[in-house]
Each structure stands twice: as structure tokens, then as C-alpha cells.
Amino acid sequence: MVMAAAVTWAWAGARAQDEDATPLVRGDDEVARLLNEWHAAGRAAGHAGVTYDNRDGSHSPLNLNRWPQITVHEYSEADQQARRHLGPAAELRPGIVIGNASMAAPAEQGGSLGRMYYTQTDGLRFLEAQYFSNNLYIYPEHRDHDPGLGDLYPTNTPYIVISQGSSGSDRPFMEAWVATVAAFQPEIRQALAQPGVLMPVMQYLFRRNLKGIESDDDYLSPRAHPVVYEGDWVDAGRMVRMAQEMDQSRIPPIVRLSVLDETRPEANREFFEPARFADEELATQNSLVARIWRGTGGTRQMTVSAAESVDARGQPLTFRWQVLQGDPGLVEIEPQGLGDRARITWRWQGQRPSVVYPDRMSGRVDIGVFAFNGRTWSAPAMITWWSDPRELRAYDAEGRVLEVWYDAPNQDPGLPVATDPAWLNFVAITAESGKVGRELLRSECGAEAWQALERTWERFGPATVEARQALATAVTAEREADQQVRGQREAMDRAREAAQDDGGEVAGLEEMEAGLERLREQQRQAAAAQREAEGRLEQLGIEAAGWMDDPDHGADDLTVRQILEAALFGMIHRSDLEPVFGERLTAAIREGRGGPVQQSRQTMERFGFLQRQGDRWLPSADLAGMPGAVMEHFHLHHLTLLRESVLADVLRPTGPAPLHDPRLTGRRDWRDVYQYDSGGQLLGWIRHHRDRTERFDADGRTVGSGAATAVIYRENQPGALLEAVPQG
């Protein structure tokens, strides 16, 4: 999808439900009772002037029976034939509009509708126009924010709401937003809608009233501002109450940003992209500054002003510049002036566990800018940096780039969610006497930490073993029952065919049907037993999560979970994993799971880091003396080796390689290794392709037998591999 830079107004086809219908909301729940009471008393604006727009062909519609007074946008037959009623909104609509489209493409084919907007400058420009025109839509993430592929969104905005999940996950948000927009006092909603700031205020109400967000400090924390939201976080009751209580003094201010200066790397020398990516800018807007970290430099600086922010009553504003995603230790924020301006320095972060969703990786750093008028905080404006998940970088102590690998494997360690029983599989290694996994885990734990792990297994081990045995038995029984049911059906089909050929009746049909029903009952019982065993394991995972996160059950100031995470980190960073444990780990690789290890070893051999000696793979040099850039490769390799062997029942498979999104970057498959003179001045870099190497000088020119040649980067089509070709 390519969004048009211009937007048009559309109103034709709107249809109002029965405006005289009462009540405003059908139902006897708390939200319905409150809204009907306020509306009957003239204290709530209701749905006059509010339109609902469904753009998924009523695949996941708002419950219109519950909301009889809302206006529904209807698409003409011509619109439907042209499929203009489906997919992401592309037109601004007058009045107040809340819509949804529970649609998405596979992640590798464009992904969710929210991501389609977020990957394009024009798409983000359109979303901002919607935001300040009282239009807001809700879209599911589908597969763009899940363990494995991780967080695929290149920015984070207040312009839309993205729900965690697929079809139907948007419904709790629709219900809450439709309820809240009706709850404002009429004069307050008019005061917000007339200047087009209703949706920023609605975003504040939505985020401030999430379950678990009780204070202003909570609201200013990452928990209130992830890129994607869970449906069970929504608290519609609190939202409508705060909307009803809003008066002129409680209207949130509106943050407006502008970029005063920033780092700008040089194309073809500091970053390598086709001409369609001329710089690092994705969006520069009132409520969003979004950048893509293309250049090889290890830091970025930017001065951003919020001085144009406004308050409805003209109150003086104070500001909070808050890191919401990423490592705050790698971001330096220096407020300037009256605090309405900040000089921000970012250091490269790469892929890290998401702050709010630690079971998935994210390459984005989010800074929220909040204004306070003495009574109410604003919705956030966002400053975001995104890094390509396919890149693995290394820098020296002075921040000089040492290496960029543009085709790195998935860097997600695959740790399970906190309540996953797989954590108990990690603890179970303590009981595997004589096995290499136990030896490795024991070597990474002190005496007290090891005892804490043993106590955990003593507490949960017997029940875990029993539940897993019950599950294995139930799975086998269900599989056998399925086979028997299929066999009985096939026998009955053969008997019917034979009887049809002979022109007679099926002999023993009633007995066969009775036998089929008995087998189906066995099938149902086996399925029920499997669900019961899975439920027992799920409950054990929940109980174990509480135990593992309780400091009283840990040791050395660490919880049990932290002990396990530290042990995994230690195993990955061992210098002797391949030379000492490699053969035993290879023997422990699960059947059918050796491919990733073999591929990783071959890549390490191609890079010159590993060499094969018989059945052993040994480092080509002493790891203790290798630079950090090389060690990053070993850490990824060790993670692959452990995941496919002793931790196969603990770590999730990484799934496919990191996704390349041609809307954001060109596709590169090389590894650049940088060279410096004794004074630290850049000499150039060596580019390692799969089948050849190239040399470049410090200005990005290719160096061969003749004169250095300036190059540009081209692709035959978006998504094709980039090539360096002579300039001009």
C-alpha cells in the first residue's frame, strides 16, 4: 500500500441508527448504566455526530445492537465492487470517526495494516492528519509483534491503536473507545472536536486508565505506551468516568515537536542504500519524529523542541522526556531552556528484549515527550529510532565501528514467557546426572544458587514429571483414536462402495456405525485427557512463575529465574564451549534439529573464526585475545548450539531469519570489517560477500588494481540484493 500524500473528505453514505432509540447503550453492565444515566440527564454527549467505520467487511464489527444511536458509514455498491470498503483507511471523514479493520497480510508480505502505515512517510503523514481530524482506527498486529519474529514496527505513534492478536482482538478497544467518546459532557466534547484535538485527549484517557496504571508515575512509564496493547488491559469503566469528569481545567495539553538539528550521515560512505532512501528520516511531524539508523556511526544526536506545545487555557507547561522502549543507559537526554527543548544522544542498541514484552525482541528506541499543565499530563508525542533486525554491529571503546554484518541470524535467545512450563525444563537439568547440560549449568552457578535450583526442582519436579507423562499418554491415545476413527470410516466407505457395485444393502451397517460412535467417544475422552494434562502443566507453570520470581526462593540476591538467565548468559559467553563441550553437545542435538548448528558452524568457518579438525570444531585463535566484534559471532553460534541440544526443551526455536522489509531498507548480504591506522583514523573496510571480498577506502570508493572508484548502490527491484556500481 502506498498512501497518497493528499487526503480527501468523504461523507456520502453515512447512515444514522434510530436517533430516538433509547437507551444510549443496551445492557445492564456498569458502563451501560453510567452512560444511560448521564445521557438521560443531558450530561453525556452520546453518539450524535459520531460515526463508526468498519473496513473489514464486517469480519470483526462493532456490536451495533449494543450501540443503537451511533452512525454507521455505509459503502456504496460501487465502493464495494472496487473494494474501497476494505483495508486501511485512506480518506479523512468529517465529524468524529472511530473505525477498525481486522485484516492483515502475512508478516513477510507486508504485515498488519498498522505496519503498512508505519513503514511509509506518506502513511504516517495521513495518520497524523486523521489524529488531528477526530478520526481514529484500531488494527490488530496479527504476526507483527510476536515471539520469534519479534517487534516489527519501525516506529510507535499515538495516531492509532494496535491490538495484540489477530481477528477480533480489536473488539475490546472498539467498545471502550465508542463508550468513552459518548461519555464527555456535550460542551467539553465540542471544545475538543472543534479544534481537532479529541483523539489526543482520548489517547490520554485510554492510556491513563489501563489496568495497572494507577498513578501519574505509572502513566509516564513504558507500561502505558507500548506499540501494541492487550485487550484485557482495557478498563472502559475508568475511561468513561474520567471522560465524564473532564472540565476545562482538566483538558490535557497538546505536545508539538520540531527538530532543530541532528546528526546526518553521508550516503555511500556511512550508509549504503538505493536512491529511494536518501537519509535516515521516516517522519518529522508535530507528534512524531521517526528515524531509521542507517549510518554506521555508533551515536546519533538530535535537538528537539516542544516549545510550540499548547494548553487549552494557556497555562504554563512543564515537560517530561521519558525513555519508553530500549535501554535508558544508552540514551542521554539533556533538557535545555525551560525544559521545553532537549539535546538527545543515542548510542547504538541493536536488538534487545522489549521492555513491556520481554519475550520478543525489538530494535526500536522510543522516547515519549509529555507536557503537564499543572493538573493533567498530555498524550505522548514520540521520538523513535529503529534499527534493522538483520544487522549485527560492533564498536570499540571510542565508539568507532569495527564491523557491520548486514545478514545476521535471528538474535532472539528464545526465552519462554514467565508462566511457560519450559522454565521447569531448565530447572530439571539439575537432576540429569552425568549429562553435559547439568555439567554446564552447574559450572555457571555458585553453591547457594545451585541449591536454590535443586529446591525448585524438589518443589515442582514430581508434579511436572507426572503431568508430562500424563500428557504424553493422552497425546498417544488421541493419535491412536484418530487413526481408529479414520480406519473405521474408510472401512464403512469401502463397504458402501461394494454394496453399491452389487446393488445390495450394506451388511452390518448398524454395527459399524455403533462401532464408529464408540471410537468417537474414545477420541473425545482422549482429547479431554489431553486438555486436562495441558491444563495441569499450565497451572504448574503459573505456580512455578510465582516461586521463581520470589526473592525468598533465590540466592545471591537473585531470584531463581535470574539465576537461570545468568547461567544461560554465562554458557553463551564461554570461551571453551566448542573445544571442550562441542562433541558432547553435538551428540545431544535432537533428531532433525542439526541443520541450524551445521549452518552456523559453516558460517563461522567461512568468516575464519572456526576450523574443523576431524569431528571437532575449534576456534581459529585464542578467544581470550579476540576483539569484541568477533566474540559477538561466537555468542550467536553458542546460542544456536545450546538451543538445538541441551536447551532444546527450554528455548523457543528462533524461527525464520530476521525479516527484511524493503519499505525500510535495501537488502544487503555482506559483512563489512573496518580498518584504522595507529592513530585511530579510518583507512577503509573490507566487504565480505559469500563468494568474494571487496575493498573500500575511507570515502566509500572501491579499491582495486587501478584508481579508486566512487560507487552508488542499486537494486533491480525493491527487495533485490543491492549492488555497488560505479557512480555516473
Side-chain angles (χ1 to χ4, degrees), residues 619-641:
S620 56
D622 182 8
L623 294 190
M626 286 190 177
V630 174
M631 291 309 302
E632 290 292 335
H633 291 275
F634 274 94
H635 300 160
L636 279 176
H637 171 63
H638 292 166
L639 177 61
T640 300
L641 182 56

Side-chain angles (χ1 to χ4, degrees), residues 68 135 137 146 201 231 272 559 575 726:
N135 290 202
Y137 286 72
D146 293 341
V201 174
F272 317 106
T559 65
S575 61

Side-chain angles (χ1 to χ4, degrees), residues 193 370 441 472 606 631 642 690 722:
F370 302 87
L441 181 58
R606 178 161 54 88
M631 291 309 302
L642 292 166
R690 294 181 183 273
L722 284 178

Side-chain angles (χ1 to χ4, degrees), residues 353-672:
S354 170
V355 174
V356 178
Y357 291 89
D359 62 336
R360 59 212 70 180
M361 303 292 279
S362 178
R364 199 181 60 255
V365 180
D366 298 341
I367 295 176
V369 185
F370 302 87
F372 186 62
N373 61 12
R375 189 159 190 182
T376 308
W377 285 98
S378 68
M382 290 289 192
I383 306 170
T384 71
W385 274 98
W386 178 83
S387 59
D388 191 337
R390 298 175 68 90
E391 292 184 14
L392 181 65
R393 300 185 177 199
Y395 296 90
D396 66 13
E398 283 72 41
R400 291 185 293 258
V401 61
L402 299 175
E403 174 184 332
V404 182
W405 184 12
Y406 291 99
D407 194 25
N410 198 316
Q411 299 171 51
D412 181 1
L415 282 169
V417 297
T419 57
D420 194 320
W423 285 100
L424 291 170
N425 297 337
F426 207 163
V427 181
I429 294 174
T430 60
E432 296 178 350
S433 179
K435 293 189 176 182
V436 63
R438 185 180 189 277
E439 184 177 342
L440 278 169
L441 181 58
R442 180 67 184 88
S443 68
E444 298 296 335
C445 296
E448 293 186 5
W450 185 255
Q451 291 171 7
L453 296 183
E454 289 183 320
R455 288 194 300 271
T456 302
W457 186 244
E458 289 172 5
R459 168 66 177 80
F460 294 100
T464 301
V465 171
E466 181 182 350
R468 291 204 182 280
Q469 289 175 343
L471 178 59
T473 300
V475 169
T476 300
E478 185 178 26
R479 186 182 301 117
E480 292 174 351
D482 289 344
Q483 292 173 348
Q484 290 174 339
V485 167
R486 285 196 300 271
Q488 184 74 352
R489 284 175 175 165
E490 292 170 358
M492 293 173 68
D493 290 342
R494 289 193 297 270
R496 290 190 182 97
E497 291 173 1
Q500 186 176 6
D501 292 341
D502 295 340
E505 298 291 331
V506 179
L509 180 60
E510 291 185 2
E511 293 181 4
M512 284 190 287
E513 288 178 341
L516 179 60
E517 183 55 36
R518 286 192 297 272
L519 291 173
R520 283 174 172 163
E521 178 59 27
Q522 293 175 14
Q523 187 182 40
R524 288 190 288 268
Q525 291 176 359
Q530 181 175 342
R531 289 193 297 271
E532 181 182 356
E534 289 171 343
R536 289 166 61 190
L537 272 176
E538 182 178 345
Q539 185 58 38
L540 277 171
I542 294 171
E543 294 174 7
W547 174 286
M548 290 185 183
D549 292 328
D550 187 341
D552 291 342
H553 300 306
D556 302 327
D557 296 324
L558 298 175
T559 65
V560 170
R561 194 184 313 281
Q562 290 169 336
I563 291 171
L564 293 170
E565 290 172 342
L568 172 62
F569 183 85
M571 286 188 269
I572 291 170
H573 287 73
R574 292 184 73 109
S575 61
D576 61 351
L577 196 67
E578 274 284 18
V580 175
F581 297 96
E583 289 183 89
R584 295 167 66 191
L585 289 172
T586 301
I589 293 174
R590 295 293 178 83
E591 183 177 354
R593 295 187 62 166
V597 175
Q598 181 181 6
Q599 182 179 1
S600 180
R601 282 171 168 162
Q602 290 172 347
T603 298
M604 294 288 283
E605 183 180 34
R606 178 161 54 88
F607 288 171
F609 301 149
L610 280 180
Q611 55 187 350
R612 186 167 187 170
Q613 295 184 5
D615 292 333
R616 302 178 67 197
W617 290 84
L618 302 177
S620 56
D622 182 8
L623 294 190
M626 286 190 177
V630 174
M631 291 309 302
E632 290 292 335
H633 291 275
F634 274 94
H635 300 160
L636 279 176
H637 171 63
H638 292 166
L639 177 61
T640 300
L641 182 56
L642 292 166
R643 179 187 289 112
E644 306 302 332
S645 58
V646 294
L647 298 182
D649 290 332
V650 178
L651 303 179
R652 289 179 288 98
T654 57
L659 191 70
H660 169 247
D661 194 327
R663 298 166 298 189
L664 297 171
T665 69
R667 186 176 166 214
R668 295 147 293 183
D669 68 343
W670 61 73
R671 171 174 162 257
D672 288 341

Side-chain angles (χ1 to χ4, degrees), residues 4-27:
V7 295
T8 59
W9 291 84
W11 181 240
R15 173 180 61 84
Q17 300 283 338
D18 182 2
E19 294 180 357
D20 296 327
T22 54
L24 170 66
V25 193
R26 292 194 177 107

Side-chain angles (χ1 to χ4, degrees), residues 317-334:
L317 299 176
T318 57
F319 294 86
R320 176 78 71 89
W321 306 71
Q322 183 72 39
V323 177
L324 301 172
Q325 166 61 36
D327 184 351
L330 296 176
V331 180
E332 183 180 354
I333 301 174
E334 303 174 64

